């Protein structure tokens, strides 16, 4: 017997994300006002937000799998049970999607600190369609591990695109202090062993 995802499970996931998103918002305030925790905020923001969005995307995919299961049971379930289950699932999917969108909005605010003087490059990104909610699977995990371990790449700061909605070309940008955005890079990941 398949057990549907409970409201408590959804609340727990959203509460965890909310706590992380609040921490990220506070880091943005630290960056904007150049507080004494500026360095920590700049270095911790991207990995923290990326992990949160990755976890939320994984939960979103579980809800999508549940939706597919509910639809597959349409002809075997009583009509009221089916309608309640599919409506509840849609509500859960919506709140998780909105949570991811809030996270990516915070990511846009972070990226703006680095792109604000490079409007032409930003316009180039915005000409392309949105990349969606968040990258999942091995590719997503590879991008997160890259940003956790490579925020300084040959003296340039790495701005991770996956945590934003506005950066749509490539996977990361390279920022040079005093110059601005000097390049865009692409990552490829594959599973090896464990």
């Amino acid at each position: 017997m398949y057990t549907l995802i409970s409201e408590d499970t959804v609340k727990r996931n959203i509460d965890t994300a909310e706590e992380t998103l609040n921490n990220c918002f506070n880091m943005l305030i630290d960056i904007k006002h150049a507080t004494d925790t500026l360095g920590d905020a700049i270095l911790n923001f991207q990995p923290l937000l990326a992990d949160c969005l990755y976890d939320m995307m994984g939960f979103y995919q579980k809800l999508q799998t549940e939706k597919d299961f509910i639809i597959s049971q349409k002809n075997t379930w009583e009509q009221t049970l089916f309608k309640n289950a599919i409506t509840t699932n849609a509500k859960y999917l919506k709140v998780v999607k909105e949570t991811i969108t809030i996270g990516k909005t915070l990511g846009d605010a972070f990226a703006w600190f680095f792109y604000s003087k490079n409007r032409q490059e930003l316009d180039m990104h915005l000409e392309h369609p949105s990349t969606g909610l968040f990258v999942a699977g091995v590719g997503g995990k590879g991008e997160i591990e890259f940003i956790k371990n490579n925020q300084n790449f040959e003296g340039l700061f790495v701005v991770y695109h996956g945590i934003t909605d506005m950066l749509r070309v490539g996977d990361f940008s390279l920022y040079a202090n005093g110059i601005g955005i000097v390049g865009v890079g692409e990552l490829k990941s594959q599973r090896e062993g464990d």
Side-chain angles (χ1 to χ4, degrees):
M1 175 82 189
Y2 185 89
T3 303
L4 298 179
I5 296 171
S6 70
E7 183 174 341
D8 285 343
T9 300
V10 175
K11 284 181 179 179
R12 213 170 25 255
N13 277 274
I14 297 300
D15 287 348
T16 300
E18 181 181 20
E19 183 177 335
T20 301
L21 296 177
N22 281 331
N23 289 336
C24 288
F25 179 79
N26 290 332
M27 289 178 189
L28 289 174
I29 298 298
D30 290 344
I31 294 167
K32 179 180 179 186
H33 296 293
T35 66
D36 54 350
T37 59
L38 172 67
D40 287 340
I42 288 174
L43 293 177
N44 293 324
F45 181 88
Q46 294 184 103
L48 184 64
L49 182 56
D51 276 337
C52 176
L53 294 177
Y54 184 83
D55 291 345
M56 290 307 294
M57 190 63 201
F59 188 58
Y60 185 85
Q61 289 177 321
K62 286 179 184 174
L63 287 165
Q64 285 285 29
T65 299
E66 179 178 89
K67 176 183 173 184
D68 294 342
F69 171 75
I70 294 168
I71 291 170
S72 76
Q73 299 302 306
K74 182 178 183 177
N75 294 329
T76 62
W77 287 4
E78 192 267 326
Q79 185 177 6
T80 304
L81 176 63
F82 171 79
K83 184 178 178 185
N84 288 341
I86 202 71
T87 301
T88 299
N89 178 271
K91 180 176 76 171
Y92 295 164
L93 280 166
K94 181 179 180 201
V95 74
V96 172
K97 184 176 182 180
E98 288 172 354
T99 303
I100 293 170
T101 299
I102 290 167
K104 290 187 93 169
T105 301
L106 294 174
D108 284 342
F110 179 82
W112 178 251
F113 290 119
F114 304 96
Y115 265 86
S116 62
K117 294 180 180 160
N118 296 98
R119 294 296 299 270
Q120 188 173 5
E121 286 84 359
L122 183 57
D123 289 343
M124 174 193 69
H125 285 279
L126 294 172
E127 289 174 0
H128 290 77
S130 175
T131 57
L133 291 178
F134 194 76
V135 66
V138 173
K141 203 54 159 165
E143 290 179 11
I144 292 171
E145 289 306 312
F146 176 80
I147 199 62
K148 283 180 178 179
N149 297 296
N150 297 289
Q151 290 193 64
N152 182 326
F153 188 76
E154 296 187 13
L156 303 170
F157 184 72
V158 176
V159 179
Y160 176 43
H161 296 184
I163 61 170
T164 75
D165 183 50
M166 67 183 187
L167 301 180
R168 303 171 179 180
V169 177
D171 294 321
F172 64 90
S173 295
L174 298 172
Y175 173 84
N177 198 17
I179 298 173
I181 302 300
V182 296
V184 174
E186 185 79 28
L187 298 168
K188 295 296 174 199
S189 300
Q190 66 184 29
R191 182 179 302 276
E192 284 188 21
D194 292 335

